[in-house]
Amino acid sequence: MEQTENMTNQLEEAYLQKRIKNRKISLLVVSIVTLALALAIIIMACVNVDLRPRFVTNPDKVVIYTTEVPSGFISLDESSDEYANFQKVYNDMFQINTLSAVFSGNFGNYAIEETLNEITETDTALRDLVGSNNYVKLVFDTPQKFYYKNGSDYVSIYREDYNLTFDCVYFAFDNENVTKDLTFYFAVEGNLGTNNNGVKKRSITKVTVQANSYSIYESLNSFRDLAE
């Protein structure tokens, strides 16, 4: 009888030790998973995603049109310190941390929306186009190409072969400190042929992304001297 009782106690002790061991293993696994998740969240919160289309590179010249200065515009050449300051502000507009990108599902995807609408590049027409009295013109000395997000050449929906180029881009900015839709308006050659003087007509192609343009509005004071 005593031998049977000892065996029972040994079995209970072994079972208890096994439960303790399994619990320790479970706690260790949970701790490792929690630590890995915490590290992943910290890394995602620190690493940024650039939402800007890859083909909108640094321009050769920038013109800021705004009613905030008497002349109505501020011109920045790439050789100036002010241009470098603007470029930093401009680049930061499209930065969003990876964590926010995960929750919003926004990883810089974009669609290229071609139109056959001819662009009129007068101040009044451009204000109507971008929907604001404050807008930026990015100027490129050489024609730029469009690309899909994966880096491959964009193929026009109106032509079988790739033929679209642009040398300037417009977008609006405002004094709202929020990340929201921002539309680039490209002055595109290749879809409308030429006018009576043999000059290529330019149409509007649009790309909408997420950005916070408030930093441009906020930095106007640093460029104000160039508008006098």
Side-chain angles (χ1 to χ4, degrees):
M1 183 70 178
E2 183 177 351
Q3 185 177 4
T4 302
E5 186 176 342
N6 288 337
M7 288 184 62
T8 301
N9 290 337
Q10 289 175 0
L11 288 173
E12 289 178 351
E13 179 68 20
Y15 177 71
L16 179 61
Q17 292 298 323
K18 185 176 181 180
R19 286 190 63 185
I20 293 173
K21 181 179 180 181
N22 288 341
R23 180 173 293 181
K24 287 182 178 179
I25 292 173
S26 298
L27 288 174
L28 179 61
V29 170
V30 170
S31 298
I32 292 173
V33 171
T34 302
L35 178 60
L37 182 59
L39 288 174
I41 291 174
I42 292 172
I43 292 172
M44 287 191 294
C46 296
V47 176
N48 286 337
V49 174
D50 191 342
L51 304 180
R52 182 174 45 171
R54 62 183 300 141
F55 51 84
V56 187
T57 56
N58 294 341
D60 298 294
K61 181 181 178 181
V62 176
V63 184
I64 304 172
Y65 294 90
T66 176
T67 54
E68 299 292 324
V69 297
S71 64
F73 70 94
I74 302 168
S75 183
L76 308 175
D77 185 83
E78 66 174 339
S79 62
S80 66
D81 291 338
E82 290 80 6
Y83 172 91
N85 293 337
F86 172 86
Q87 202 60 48
K88 183 180 185 306
V89 169
Y90 169 65
N91 290 338
D92 289 345
M93 283 173 44
F94 306 95
Q95 299 295 317
I96 181 174
N97 66 63
T98 306
L99 187 62
S100 297
V102 168
F103 283 107
S104 65
N106 186 358
F107 284 94
N109 295 319
Y110 57 83
I112 299 172
E113 183 183 346
E114 289 185 64
T115 77
L116 294 179
N117 301 323
E118 188 171 2
I119 188 169
T120 302
E121 294 176 86
T122 63
D123 186 53
T124 301
L126 289 170
R127 290 178 193 275
D128 290 341
L129 176 66
V130 303
S132 174
N133 289 326
N134 302 309
Y135 64 96
V136 174
K137 179 182 182 181
L138 308 179
V139 182
F140 301 89
D141 290 343
T142 56
Q144 304 292 300
K145 297 168 62 176
F146 290 90
Y147 297 94
Y148 293 109
K149 189 177 185 297
N150 63 11
S152 61
D153 287 352
Y154 174 72
V155 179
S156 170
I157 62 173
Y158 297 113
R159 310 240 180 173
E160 292 183 359
D161 58 334
Y162 174 83
N163 69 313
L164 296 185
T165 61
F166 64 91
D167 59 14
C168 64
V169 186
Y170 301 91
F171 67 88
F173 66 93
D174 56 40
N175 61 353
E176 294 184 54
N177 190 11
V178 294
T179 298
K180 58 184 179 181
D181 284 349
L182 180 146
T183 300
F184 287 106
Y185 297 87
F186 299 84
V188 171
E189 291 185 353
N191 278 336
L192 294 183
T194 60
N195 60 22
N196 294 333
N197 297 321
V199 178
K200 288 185 178 179
K201 296 180 181 179
R202 290 144 70 90
S203 60
I204 301 167
T205 288
K206 298 186 291 184
V207 172
T208 299
V209 296
Q210 289 275 299
N212 185 343
S213 65
Y214 175 73
S215 54
I216 293 181
Y217 183 88
E218 190 178 35
S219 65
L220 284 176
N221 279 334
S222 63
F223 307 131
R224 204 172 285 273
D225 290 343
L226 298 176
E228 303 300 330

